[in-house]
Amino acid sequence: MLINALDHLLLTIKDIQASCAFYANILGMQINIFADNHTVLHFGQMEINFH
């Protein structure tokens, strides 16, 4: 099986701030935090959702 891309990925994590810092600083992803504290990181068309 060959995977070309992911639309989105959901990760349940312990520390959202530390994870956001890693993905933004190391991988260059864009952070979006919504009013309900829902956190999404974008990299092109792909996104990672944190819960």
Side-chain angles (χ1 to χ4, degrees):
M1 173 172 37
L2 177 63
I3 298 173
N4 294 324
L6 294 173
D7 176 54
H8 70 276
L9 177 68
L10 172 64
L11 298 177
T12 302
I13 56 173
K14 185 175 182 177
D15 189 336
I16 290 179
Q17 292 176 337
S19 297
C20 283
F22 171 78
Y23 283 93
N25 295 331
I26 303 300
L27 300 177
M29 298 185 82
Q30 297 291 325
I31 302 170
N32 291 325
I33 301 174
F34 297 95
D36 62 352
N37 216 21
H38 178 81
T39 304
V40 178
L41 287 91
H42 291 274
F43 191 72
Q45 296 284 356
M46 296 175 269
E47 69 179 43
I48 297 176
N49 293 284
F50 287 157
H51 291 266

